[in-house]
Amino acid sequence: MSADQRRRVEVYPDREVVVEFDPDLTFECVDDCTWCCQHGVLLYDEDLLELAQRANLAETTTDFRGEKFVTREEKDRDEHVDDDGCACAFLRDDGLCSLHLEEDWKPTRCSVFPLAVFLEDGDLHVDIRDSAHEHCEGLNVSERRVTDNLDAFVPELLWELENPDSDREL
């Protein structure tokens, strides 16, 4: 998207993002997709504190390049797993997230998907992750415009982070 097509959208009072994608794009999770749950989930410091109240961090997190991620674990199934047979430690056999269903909470990075979040020239930018274009079945399948629901995708915590870049992977 060219610089002329980008637009600023206020997500929270005095908190705006620069939208780098088509403002008419829609997104809704679809049943049985789970592609985003098959990969490492980056945990910001606040996420670690929240997760510690819900799970044993020693069993459910791993360090990679100095950052914490939710552990990817081998699953004894063929569905809802990556090619290596692994998925997020919290992804249940039925393809649903135990944290989201049982705790009514999910890590920031899970809320952000399918968006990529990054800082540029002091502004928080959001775009659609390249991998989402390739794998996510929920793009453009509903009436839920992403730009109308940015508060559901972009937690306020992201403005406080030194490096909110959501493209870091395990």
Side-chain angles (χ1 to χ4, degrees):
M1 179 175 281
S2 73
D4 294 337
Q5 294 173 307
R6 294 178 189 150
R7 67 182 206 149
R8 293 180 175 276
V9 175
E10 187 173 68
V11 182
Y12 303 100
D14 299 320
R15 306 270 182 163
E16 61 184 23
V17 295
V18 178
V19 174
E20 301 273 351
F21 56 89
D22 178 352
D24 291 326
L25 180 93
T26 67
F27 174 80
E28 195 76 45
C29 283
V30 297
D31 290 341
D32 292 326
C33 177
T34 71
W35 182 84
C36 61
C37 306
Q38 298 169 20
H39 308 282
V41 175
L42 174 67
L43 295 166
Y44 300 111
D45 289 345
E46 188 172 303
D47 292 327
L48 278 171
L49 295 173
E50 290 286 334
L51 184 57
Q53 296 175 31
R54 295 165 170 84
N56 181 328
L57 294 181
E59 295 174 1
T60 59
T61 65
T62 188
D63 290 306
F64 182 70
R65 295 185 180 159
E67 296 184 294
K68 287 281 193 189
F69 286 81
V70 172
T71 302
R72 291 180 72 246
E73 64 182 21
E74 190 169 339
K75 304 288 186 173
D76 188 23
R77 60 181 186 246
D78 294 328
E79 297 83 31
H80 311 300
V81 294
D82 198 11
D83 293 339
D84 63 0
C86 295
C88 174
F90 298 104
L91 186 63
R92 300 181 337 183
D93 290 349
D94 61 5
L96 299 175
C97 174
S98 63
L99 286 174
H100 193 204
L101 289 174
E102 298 163 20
E103 301 289 335
D104 194 27
W105 177 82
K106 56 186 170 180
T108 301
R109 175 101 177 244
C110 298
S111 296
V112 168
F113 195 85
L115 300 180
V117 177
F118 57 96
L119 279 177
E120 186 177 287
D121 299 326
D123 291 321
L124 193 63
H125 290 245
V126 292
D127 200 353
I128 302 301
R129 293 172 59 94
D130 289 340
S131 58
H133 284 294
E134 298 168 20
H135 303 284
C136 182
E137 298 173 22
L139 295 174
N140 289 317
V141 297
S142 73
E143 299 297 317
R144 183 182 182 218
R145 284 178 17 135
V146 175
T147 54
D148 293 340
N149 296 280
L150 281 170
D151 59 332
F153 292 97
V154 186
E156 197 165 9
L157 157 75
L158 293 171
W159 279 268
E160 306 300 324
L161 300 174
E162 183 178 322
N163 182 10
D165 180 1
S166 62
D167 205 26
R168 300 188 306 267
E169 293 186 355
L170 180 60

